[in-house]
Amino acid sequence: MAATIDVHLPDGSVRDMPEGSDIGDLAASIGPRLVAAAVAATVDGRPVDLSTKVTPGAVVTVVTSDSPLGREVIRHSTAHVMAQAVLRLWPGARYAIGPVIDDGFYYDFELPGGARFTDDDLARIEAEMRSIMAEDQPFVRQEVGVDEARATFSDQPFKVEIIDAVATGSVEVDAAPASGADDRQGDAPILSTYRNTPSFVDLCLGPHVPSTGRLGHFKLTRVAGAYWRGDERRPQLQRIYGTAWESEQALNEHLHRMEEAERRDHRRLGAELDLFSFPDEIGSGLAVFHPKGGTVRRLMEDYSRERHVAAGYEFVGSPHITKAGLFETSGHLEWFAEGMYPPMKLDGTQEYYLKPMNCPFHMLVFKSRQRSYRELPMRLFEFGTVYRYEKSGVVHGLTRARGFTQDDAHIFCTAEQMEDELASLLTFVLDVLGDYGLDDFYLELSTRPEHKAVGSEEEWESATSVLRRVGEQRGLEMVIDEGGGAFYGPKISVQARDAIGRTWQLSTLQLDFQEPGRFGLEYTDQTNAKRRPVMIHRALFGSVERFFAILVEHYAGAFPAWLAPEQVRVLPVRDDHMDYALAVTAQLRAAGYRVSTEPASEPLGTRIRKAKLTMVPYVLVVGDDDVAEGTVGVNRRGSERPERGVPLAALTAQLADDVSTKRA
RNA sequence: GCGCCCGUAGCUCAGAACGGUUAGAGCACCGGCCUUGUAAGCCGGAGGUCGCCGGUUCAAGUCCGGCCGGGCGUUCCA
């Protein structure tokens, strides 16, 4: 009678397996569907191959192809197949590293004679990969010592370098071999390799799918240069990026998301919809807003102002340039000079800087006279335009510009007021963001950095726990960014998911333990003692330009009626309907709507098409019937069929509803 | 910053691999005709120092060098 091994499953049940069974056998004993979906496993939480032997008492989870870890395994295995394909097509090529990244993988190569991949090569490599997958080659794990590994990869200098790094202990290596078979103590490192064919083997921790036939839903996406080990002094390699999924459907959905993101790109829509541009004459990262973009911006800002007034903010204003001394006091010249435009010298020696931040100015507003506890919380708000000298490689449309406008608020309050203030701030921020159409959030709490931080442990501890409590009260998902806070204070940031599931960091609420001290801020309390106020930095949009870009992408250019630069376009069927069209236009304008009229100099079909391409929410057609009845023909954005004979009053009621609800 | 790719009309792109008349098209723009009931009517016109500077050549949009501007990458370390 064969001995059995008891294996624990994630649901807490225990299963007896014959001695010598591997995890694949375990999956088979559970069911055929699990076998079909299984790509790897974890043993006591450690990822392993399905071929790993089961051990007594181990908690084994079978990893399926549609789980996050399963997808990683598929992507990593697909990267190996890509390396093999490249080596088949370019004999003598060298392969470096091929990790998994978000939604895909890459592999870095050096081609013989310094050759470079072209886009056409991607198709050739894909074809070769498909034939490797058709061959259904096994992934065979082998654990080897350093010397044997060096011998195996003797013609692969990048691999040898990795092996040497492991050998000298300069690279962390998973100490316990994944098989769990033995547990050698550190001094003699063991490496693992995965072999597909006699001629192709790769150094890899694994795990991998059992064989290349388990792969196939992939696409190579682009080629880029990348330095070996990310070091610009080292050789530049050719990197091929790809994506891989558990099914054709999942792959297609991913590719569709990518296309959708491209279709929504605010730089493209910004030009198509005549919203803004980046003229070369002005300089990199500096935009001009055209009338339509300017209208959207004004509407965004107007509503923001309205809400801030209602929430007890006071509006302040500050200049774009200042003497260097202000940024010396604030400390920006110490730690932020890199990000600032160089100074201009005036009056011989006096240096002036363009402002990269608004806070020092607001500090001066606070300091302009003696302050009483009765004035707190004091909430100062400004749309303050700032300039930052972003490195040339990082500017990106409106989302990373060199000149942009912050909706910047600085709140001064007492330590006792801080918690209530933060709680109402967070409510306010989430509420207002929701009105702009973003309502799927999670929070990120950034805590004290380990090394440099101003302020006492206790201050940090109490402020961080206040932020945590405030976040928890909202009941939103909260991610802790351990040690990710700025040195001057902890912060909580709001991350929003847009219409296609991308996340953007939006608003931040940041405590500042540094600035009030540097500026010597104080207020007089009830006992006539001088006390230092607590300061909170708060941005809601962050940058008006960036938030504008996010809205363009979120709505794919189809702004809801309250934000649309043009809400209604009126099209007379023939010239002789023009007077009526103008009368309708005038009435709607009088009611406060943004309306244009398009004369009948082109066929109606053409004018309809042009109007729809600009994504006007309502296109009205007026002809004989409408003139007679006082009605309009309504083409609502997004609806296939026009609605004829609508009384003008019904349309204005609809518009009023759209605008007041801020939907549609 | 660095690497790769790209700069031709307001926009999208031909022309460039092999240097050779007045550099083309579509959209947009202007004018005329058409008088239109739901996603591209017809005719005509204007619009270019081919990103800039220099070099090679009898000859440069095309080849070479430098500069400027843009896109992507430069986060993920077997």
Side-chain angles (χ1 to χ4, degrees):
Chain A
M1 167 184 130
T4 61
I5 296 172
D6 61 314
V7 179
H8 297 253
L9 299 179
D11 64 1
S13 65
V14 178
R15 196 165 273 263
D16 285 332
M17 295 298 296
E19 199 164 4
S21 302
D22 65 22
I23 297 169
D25 298 326
L26 173 68
S29 79
I30 296 171
R33 285 182 56 194
L34 186 61
V35 174
V39 290
T42 63
V43 171
D44 299 332
R46 208 156 22 87
V48 297
D49 294 317
L50 287 173
S51 61
T52 306
K53 301 288 184 226
V54 296
T55 47
V59 177
V60 177
T61 304
V62 176
V63 172
T64 55
S65 60
D66 58 354
S67 65
L69 182 57
R71 284 176 176 159
E72 281 188 26
V73 169
I74 285 170
R75 287 165 189 158
H76 202 174
S77 297
T78 305
H80 278 228
V81 171
M82 179 166 82
Q84 187 185 345
V86 168
L87 265 69
R88 279 193 190 183
L89 293 168
W90 283 269
R94 288 160 171 177
Y95 52 131
I97 57 168
V100 170
I101 54 176
D102 284 349
D103 291 341
F105 60 88
Y106 68 79
Y107 216 115
D108 288 347
F109 301 96
E110 186 180 65
L111 295 182
R116 291 201 312 268
F117 292 117
T118 66
D119 288 346
D120 295 338
D121 290 333
L122 294 186
R124 291 176 59 210
I125 296 165
E126 274 187 19
E128 193 65 30
M129 289 170 69
R130 291 195 197 284
S131 77
I132 290 168
M133 290 169 185
E135 289 164 23
D136 199 19
Q137 303 168 359
F139 277 88
V140 180
R141 181 185 174 91
Q142 195 183 359
E143 283 160 19
V144 297
V146 168
D147 291 342
E148 193 182 345
R150 279 203 191 100
T152 305
F153 295 100
S154 58
D155 57 344
Q156 289 293 338
F158 300 114
K159 297 294 178 190
V160 169
E161 193 174 324
I162 294 162
I163 293 163
D164 289 345
V166 173
T168 60
S170 61
V171 162
E172 281 278 313
V173 71
D174 192 352
S179 69
D182 60 3
D183 213 14
R184 287 174 228 202
Q185 307 294 348
D187 51 350
I190 291 294
L191 296 111
S192 55
T193 64
Y194 280 82
R195 182 174 289 282
N196 289 116
T197 70
S199 58
F200 183 79
V201 63
D202 199 356
L203 193 62
C204 186
L205 280 171
H208 280 287
V209 297
S211 69
T212 59
R214 294 298 307 274
L215 308 170
H217 314 293
F218 73 98
K219 184 170 168 58
L220 303 186
T221 49
R222 61 178 178 272
V223 46
Y227 297 105
W228 169 232
R229 304 207 144 224
D231 183 339
E232 64 190 55
R233 292 162 306 193
R234 312 288 307 260
Q236 181 158 36
L237 307 177
Q238 296 279 303
R239 174 171 297 177
I240 300 177
Y241 288 89
T243 185
W245 296 79
E246 71 277 11
S247 67
E248 208 59 18
Q249 189 190 341
L251 172 65
N252 287 335
E253 281 169 8
H254 174 255
L255 295 176
H256 182 255
R257 278 195 298 277
M258 295 294 102
E259 278 171 29
E260 188 61 20
E262 198 181 322
R263 192 176 72 77
R264 289 166 178 256
D265 190 314
H266 73 278
R267 293 166 301 174
R268 169 204 178 101
L269 288 171
E272 279 176 10
L273 300 177
D274 197 14
L275 301 173
F276 60 86
S277 59
F278 285 92
D280 288 350
E281 292 86 338
I282 299 178
S284 181
L286 299 166
V288 288
F289 279 74
H290 303 185
K292 286 183 178 175
T295 300
V296 175
R297 220 184 131 146
R298 172 175 60 78
L299 294 161
M300 288 168 59
E301 293 175 354
D302 284 351
Y303 182 64
S304 168
R305 284 193 186 92
E306 205 180 292
R307 293 298 303 258
H308 279 88
V309 170
Y313 286 77
E314 300 176 283
F315 286 64
V316 298
S318 59
H320 289 200
I321 63 170
T322 178
K323 292 192 287 192
L326 184 64
F327 291 125
E328 279 159 15
T329 303
S330 70
H332 286 103
L333 279 172
E334 261 172 62
W335 72 77
F336 197 69
E338 289 279 287
M340 293 168 66
Y341 274 87
M344 41 199 138
K345 258 201 176 86
L346 297 178
D347 307 330
T349 55
Q350 187 58 257
E351 287 188 339
Y352 279 77
Y353 280 91
L354 272 170
K355 67 171 168 180
M357 292 182 186
N358 300 302
C359 30
F361 298 87
H362 293 188
M363 308 293 292
L364 296 181
V365 172
F366 185 93
K367 249 189 104 169
S368 62
R369 62 170 170 79
Q370 287 197 321
R371 298 293 177 183
S372 153
Y373 71 95
R374 298 173 199 274
E375 297 181 77
L376 306 183
M378 179 183 289
R379 308 182 184 94
L380 304 182
F381 180 95
E382 174 179 13
F383 281 112
T385 302
V386 297
Y387 296 90
R388 297 184 184 173
Y389 190 73
E390 301 285 358
K391 288 201 227 168
S392 68
V394 309
V395 298
H396 179 87
L398 291 175
T399 58
R400 196 78 185 267
R402 283 179 168 171
F404 58 95
T405 304
Q406 295 182 307
D407 59 332
D408 215 356
H410 294 95
I411 294 155
F412 303 92
C413 64
T414 67
E416 297 73 37
Q417 291 168 331
M418 180 175 74
E419 179 155 2
D420 281 351
E421 191 59 26
L422 286 169
S424 65
L425 248 179
L426 188 62
T427 302
F428 173 70
V429 161
L430 295 176
D431 189 33
V432 177
L433 287 177
D435 281 341
Y436 289 93
L438 294 164
D439 48 18
D440 184 2
F441 305 117
Y442 68 93
L443 302 176
E444 187 172 270
L445 177 65
S446 303
T447 63
R448 189 173 197 265
E450 248 188 70
H451 300 299
K452 45 165 197 182
V454 299
S456 66
E457 292 266 4
E458 300 76 56
E459 269 184 299
W460 275 85
E461 187 39 53
S462 89
T464 306
S465 63
V466 165
L467 286 175
R468 189 191 312 267
R469 215 158 37 236
V470 162
E472 279 163 359
Q473 277 163 14
R474 286 296 301 199
L476 287 172
E477 178 189 348
M478 185 156 45
V479 177
I480 309 295
D481 177 20
E482 204 61 58
F487 70 89
Y488 53 87
K491 76 171 176 196
I492 194 161
S493 61
V494 178
Q495 315 274 333
R497 294 185 188 88
D498 73 5
I500 56 172
R502 295 173 299 179
T503 65
W504 303 87
Q505 181 181 316
L506 294 175
S507 321
T508 57
L509 315 187
Q510 165 109 48
L511 271 304
D512 191 329
F513 298 142
Q514 157 127 333
E515 216 83 324
R518 291 189 77 115
F519 278 91
L521 299 193
E522 41 188 35
Y523 66 92
T524 308
D525 73 6
Q526 294 91 321
T527 66
N528 200 31
K530 300 290 187 199
R531 293 182 61 189
R532 180 139 296 155
V534 170
M535 182 170 89
I536 306 165
H537 298 261
R538 188 244 56 178
L540 201 156
F541 297 151
S543 140
V544 175
E545 288 80 356
R546 178 168 175 274
F547 194 72
F548 177 99
I550 291 168
L551 289 184
V552 169
E553 303 206 0
H554 177 61
Y555 289 120
F559 291 107
W562 78 280
L563 277 175
E566 184 182 354
Q567 296 167 308
V568 181
R569 189 176 296 184
V570 185
L571 312 181
V573 174
R574 286 190 317 271
D575 271 347
D576 50 323
H577 305 125
M578 188 60 173
D579 286 347
Y580 181 69
L582 288 171
V584 168
T585 301
Q587 275 192 61
L588 290 169
R589 281 196 183 144
Y593 298 106
R594 299 180 288 280
V595 191
S596 72
T597 322
E598 184 71 29
S601 53
E602 284 179 302
L604 184 63
T606 303
R607 287 178 288 146
I608 296 261
R609 179 170 186 272
K610 285 181 179 170
K612 295 219 166 183
L613 287 175
T614 62
M615 296 191 255
V616 181
Y618 289 94
V619 180
L620 305 185
V621 173
V622 294
D624 290 333
D625 302 346
D626 300 298
V627 173
E629 305 292 330
T631 58
V632 292
V634 178
N635 297 269
R636 193 175 177 155
R637 186 177 61 204
S639 102
E640 286 296 311
R641 302 200 172 284
E643 202 183 337
R644 293 278 299 271
V646 177
L648 194 53
L651 175 80
T652 50
Q654 179 68 66
L655 261 171
D657 187 58
D658 285 355
V659 169
S660 67
T661 61
K662 299 194 158 44
R663 304 288 160 196

